[in-house]
Amino acid sequence: MPNTDNRSANIGVVGLAVMGSNLARNLASREGNTVAVYNRTYARTEELITEHPEAGFLASETIDDFVATLAKPRTAIIMVQAGKGTDAVIEQLAERFEPGDIIVDGGNANFNDTIRRERELRERGLNFVGTGISGGEEGALNGPSIMPGGSAEAWETLGPILKSIAAVAEGEPCVTHIGTDGAGHFVKMVHNGIEYADMQLIAEAYDLLRRVGGLSVEQLVDVFKDWNTGDLESYLIEITAEVLAQKDAETGSPLVDVILDQAGSKGTGVWTVQNALGLGIPVSGIGEAVFARAVSSKPAQRGAMRASVTNRPKAPEVPDTFVDDVRAALYASKVVAYAQGFDLIVAGAKEYGWDIDLGALAKIWRAGCIIRARFLDRIVDAYATKPDLETLLVDPYFADGVASGEDAWRRVVGIAAAAGVPAPGFSSALAYFDSLAADRLPAALIQGQRDFFGAHTYRRVDKDGTFHTLWSDDRTEVETTPSTH
């Protein structure tokens, strides 16, 4: 039925599942916003407006009525499942919107889809803004970290609205215009990749302390609570203590012991690794986190391996400093994960022509999002001091922090290997660190091999030029044009 309310809305939300409903409620709670809502199934709309009359929503039963309630330039946020559903809603709105109107996709879309959609809608005179929103259901309701892309024109209208609902860190709203077209969704993808790595590293710390260190779950609760008061302070460390403290109502056991040890994913971690490979950026920490979830979800292979390998290593004795050693390894490995993530953002910005302010990005991750952490303030400082920083690992603050825990990091990786406890996150982070720090890498041999079987050429350390050895002839060296392979 048509909306008979004489008011008009400055913002609309399409898709009223939990995230969409919470975002709509957040918008409605902020002064200056009047919110129109629409859902394909009107019963969900009725449920929302009945449960939250204080929001003063303008509810519509049809898409035409929804569009009619929006003040110009019309602005609507889509919160539906990524993929064909998003395209369908975009087209419904685009058919009814006028030049200058704004369509916002707040879902976890693939940034390549966002680039395509933005280009197509721009050709029709419409603004399309792919927007990363982090913080889950709680963040959507109380203040998320928001990463919008799109045009500067769209940001003028949308910016004040998003600032009104974003989380706040040190008096600043956790939202900034990331860059054009797909920049917002690209950055959100990398955010989620870092989240994968962070969670894997925390899980490895838990596993080592419990299986090798012999700590009880109750003791681990105290450890993570203590860690959350220092340089590891973060949302993920905080909720780790909460999860470990939870008891299963049915068995009385720690809930973590009755949860099946198979971790799922929704694809953004995989996208991060795929795009990093395409851009030639090593994100080994994120990759190992994705692969660890994949291994956990292979029960048949795991069962066959357990039946085959019956002689497992015994856990070695650990030093009295083991808890502190694991803390140091966790910190250093987290720095590597963030460094790799920021490297990927730099590469993506260069590839797609985005002007991304890394310091501003670190600021908006300080609150509202899943990877919010104390040391993001230090990342802000690092890029403020040197915007073209080669890697976070050489920033003096992080370099000192990693160096002070390097011996502990190595002990932990060695103990994990000796005990037969998988620690791919810790191990790959240390290998990456050592690769960057090495005087010389075995890539020289690989280049020799490539030249032998494929004439891929190589460069020398002592003179300019590109060279090839005539391996199947007299093995003399000739200067040649660079290989494209």
Side-chain angles (χ1 to χ4, degrees):
M1 61 181 180
N3 194 316
T4 57
D5 197 316
N6 290 325
R7 295 177 299 153
S8 60
N10 67 314
I11 185 70
V13 177
V14 180
L16 302 177
V18 177
M19 282 291 290
S21 295
N22 282 2
L23 193 69
R25 290 171 57 195
N26 186 352
L27 285 160
S29 70
R30 312 297 174 158
E31 186 176 353
N33 289 336
T34 301
V35 183
V37 292
Y38 169 75
N39 194 73
R40 184 173 57 86
T41 304
Y42 187 62
R44 179 67 194 111
T45 307
E46 288 183 306
E47 182 181 352
L48 177 65
I49 62 177
T50 300
E51 291 177 353
H52 299 284
E54 76 286 351
F57 290 126
L58 299 183
S60 297
E61 193 167 353
T62 69
I63 192 75
D64 289 312
D65 291 339
F66 170 76
V67 171
T69 66
L70 297 173
K72 298 180 181 180
R74 301 177 183 89
T75 305
I77 302 176
I78 300 171
M79 298 296 291
V80 300
Q81 188 172 4
K84 292 182 180 179
T86 299
D87 279 321
V89 174
I90 289 171
E91 185 56 32
Q92 284 183 311
L93 292 174
E95 289 173 351
R96 295 162 174 83
F97 274 19
E98 298 174 351
D101 290 349
I102 303 166
I103 299 174
V104 182
D105 178 10
N108 271 338
N110 187 306
F111 78 95
N112 290 298
D113 289 336
T114 302
I115 291 174
R116 169 183 59 81
R117 291 162 177 159
E118 193 276 338
R119 181 182 62 250
E120 293 171 351
L121 291 178
R122 180 168 18 98
E123 291 172 353
R124 298 166 70 171
L126 302 176
N127 287 296
F128 183 73
V129 182
T131 301
I133 300 176
S134 179
E137 298 171 9
E138 179 184 349
L141 180 61
N142 298 316
S145 173
I146 311 176
M147 295 150 262
S151 67
E153 176 190 15
W155 174 246
E156 287 184 16
T157 297
L158 190 60
I161 297 172
L162 296 182
K163 288 177 182 179
S164 75
I165 64 167
V168 176
E170 298 185 16
E172 297 179 293
C174 292
V175 57
T176 190
H177 185 211
I178 300 297
T180 54
D181 53 59
H185 276 145
F186 183 91
V187 163
K188 177 56 164 56
M189 174 193 75
V190 178
H191 164 285
N192 285 20
I194 295 172
E195 178 185 311
Y196 271 62
D198 208 343
M199 294 172 71
Q200 175 65 26
L201 293 169
I202 292 171
E204 290 178 18
Y206 150 79
D207 201 29
L208 285 165
L209 290 176
R210 189 171 185 189
R211 290 212 280 158
V212 181
L215 274 67
S216 67
V217 174
E218 291 74 17
Q219 289 172 313
L220 285 166
V221 171
D222 292 336
V223 167
F224 281 99
K225 283 182 176 179
D226 179 61
W227 285 356
N228 200 46
T229 63
D231 54 11
L232 284 174
E233 180 187 343
S234 68
Y235 173 72
L236 286 171
I237 293 288
E238 176 188 345
I239 68 168
T240 298
E242 295 285 346
V243 170
L244 291 175
Q246 183 68 22
K247 298 289 186 182
D248 174 49
E250 187 173 334
T251 65
S253 302
L255 180 63
V256 72
D257 287 345
V258 299
I259 295 176
L260 187 66
D261 61 339
Q262 297 177 20
S265 64
K266 291 188 175 180
T268 47
V270 174
W271 293 347
T272 305
V273 177
Q274 289 172 333
N275 282 282
L277 287 171
L279 292 169
I281 302 300
V283 290
S284 52
I286 299 169
E288 291 295 350
V290 172
F291 297 146
R293 294 193 189 191
V295 170
S296 78
S297 299
K298 304 292 184 186
Q301 288 183 346
R302 292 172 61 193
M305 195 67 177
R306 285 195 302 273
S308 173
V309 182
T310 56
N311 185 22
R312 300 294 292 144
K314 293 182 179 179
E317 290 189 13
V318 297
D320 294 337
T321 60
F322 192 58
V323 172
D324 289 334
D325 284 357
V326 172
R327 186 209 62 78
L330 176 57
Y331 179 83
S333 299
K334 281 164 67 79
V335 174
V336 168
Y338 277 77
Q340 292 178 342
F342 275 85
D343 287 349
L344 179 53
I345 291 169
V346 170
K350 182 178 180 180
E351 175 72 14
Y352 298 102
W354 300 320
D355 182 15
I356 299 179
D357 184 331
L358 299 179
L361 176 59
K363 279 187 176 183
I364 70 168
W365 285 351
R366 293 179 300 173
C369 72
I370 303 301
I371 64 171
R372 58 186 183 264
R374 175 185 289 191
F375 74 14
L376 279 161
D377 281 320
R378 297 296 187 173
I379 296 179
V380 173
D381 294 342
Y383 285 112
T385 301
K386 190 175 182 182
D388 60 348
L389 193 65
E390 286 290 339
T391 170
L392 278 174
L393 288 164
V394 300
D395 171 74
Y397 177 83
F398 291 113
D400 289 347
V402 171
S404 67
E406 184 180 343
D407 289 345
W409 194 8
R410 295 186 186 283
R411 283 195 296 272
V412 168
V413 170
I415 288 171
V421 175
F426 285 172
S427 302
S428 68
L430 182 58
Y432 177 79
F433 173 85
D434 284 337
S435 295
L436 291 184
D439 291 333
R440 189 163 170 80
L441 293 171
L445 175 59
I446 293 171
Q447 283 300 91
Q449 293 169 331
R450 294 178 73 236
D451 189 59
F452 189 103
F453 66 69
H456 291 298
T457 74
Y458 53 85
R459 289 176 295 159
R460 296 175 58 100
V461 299
D462 53 357
K463 55 185 174 181
D464 293 334
T466 304
F467 302 89
H468 166 59
T469 292
L470 302 174
W471 298 101
S472 59
D473 196 353
D474 61 1
R475 298 203 173 190
T476 58
E477 182 180 77
V478 295
E479 188 167 4
T480 184
T481 56
S483 170
T484 59
H485 300 288

